[in-house]
């Protein structure tokens, strides 16, 4: 497990916004995950909540994928490279891939995949992959900075009772 990195005040603010988005997703009946992309200037470019819950949902509509794909439609590659993806949970392999392919240069996440598994157990709606996002990014040809886990207890609180 990665050692938690100290967060700047700005990182804490935006990471808490991602956690708030995860609470919004839960209130709306979705899996409790939220994410946002923030520019180098500190402007929110795009937000996303999970929309993967079946029936009616799309299993690929994870919050991170929603946020980075929206950002990629708005910004050129050089601006995306300077952006940060803030997410309530560590990006899964699919979302890490989407983040890489969209060109976002930095990821800050709250809840680790390992901690998420302790909350979800073997729930059929969230068959977690034991594949840290760092392992996905390190295979790429460009660097994606990763910070996390951080604020794990705050992010975990949103999941309590959801996966029962």
């Amino acid at each position: 497990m990665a050692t938690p990195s100290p967060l700047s005040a700005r990182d804490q603010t935006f990471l808490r916004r991602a956690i708030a988005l995860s609470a919004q997703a839960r209130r709306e009946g979705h899996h409790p995950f939220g994410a946002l992309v923030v520019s180098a200037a500190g402007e929110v470019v795009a937000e996303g909540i999970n929309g993967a819950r079946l029936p009616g949902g799309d299993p690929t509509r994870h919050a991170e994928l929603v946020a980075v794909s929206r950002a990629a439609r708005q910004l050129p590659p050089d601006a995306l490279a300077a952006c940060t993806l803030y997410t309530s949970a560590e990006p899964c392999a699919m979302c890490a891939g989407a983040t890489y392919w969209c060109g976002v240069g930095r990821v800050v996440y709250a809840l680790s995949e390992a901690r998420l598994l302790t909350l979800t157990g073997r729930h059929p709606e969230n068959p977690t992959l034991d594949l840290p996002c760092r392992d996905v990014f390190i295979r790429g040809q460009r660097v994606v900075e990763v910070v996390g886990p951080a604020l794990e207890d705050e992010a975990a609180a949103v999941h309590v009772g959801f996966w029962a």
Side-chain angles (χ1 to χ4, degrees):
M1 183 167 146
T3 304
S5 300
L7 295 180
S8 68
R10 175 175 153 165
D11 285 340
Q12 289 180 40
T13 297
F14 288 124
L15 195 54
R16 286 192 170 105
R17 174 65 188 148
I19 294 167
L21 287 167
S22 73
Q24 174 188 336
R26 181 177 178 162
R27 285 190 306 275
E28 293 180 13
H30 302 288
H31 294 159
F33 300 99
L36 63 153
V37 175
V38 177
S39 73
E43 298 168 344
V44 174
V45 176
E47 295 184 333
I49 63 171
N50 189 287
R53 195 160 200 188
L54 299 173
D58 175 347
T60 67
R61 300 310 291 165
H62 289 190
E64 300 91 343
L65 194 147
V66 170
V68 298
S69 65
R70 285 178 178 162
R73 288 191 298 272
Q74 296 178 49
L75 297 176
D78 60 326
L80 285 165
C83 285
T84 298
L85 169 67
Y86 291 92
T87 179
S88 64
E90 183 172 3
C92 70
M94 176 180 69
C95 292
T99 301
Y100 178 83
W101 287 111
C102 287
V104 173
R106 183 170 182 256
V107 173
V108 178
Y109 70 88
L111 191 61
S112 69
E113 184 73 16
R115 177 86 180 267
L116 176 62
L117 181 58
T118 69
L119 297 165
T120 64
R122 296 184 54 83
H123 198 285
E125 290 183 21
N126 196 47
T128 62
L129 290 169
D130 185 13
L131 182 59
C133 68
R134 284 175 174 87
D135 290 354
V136 175
F137 294 133
I138 201 150
R139 304 262 193 262
Q141 294 180 351
R142 63 182 162 71
V143 174
V144 177
E145 179 187 352
V146 179
V147 177
L151 307 179
E152 271 198 294
D153 291 339
E154 291 179 39
V158 180
H159 291 264
V160 172
F162 183 83
W163 303 100

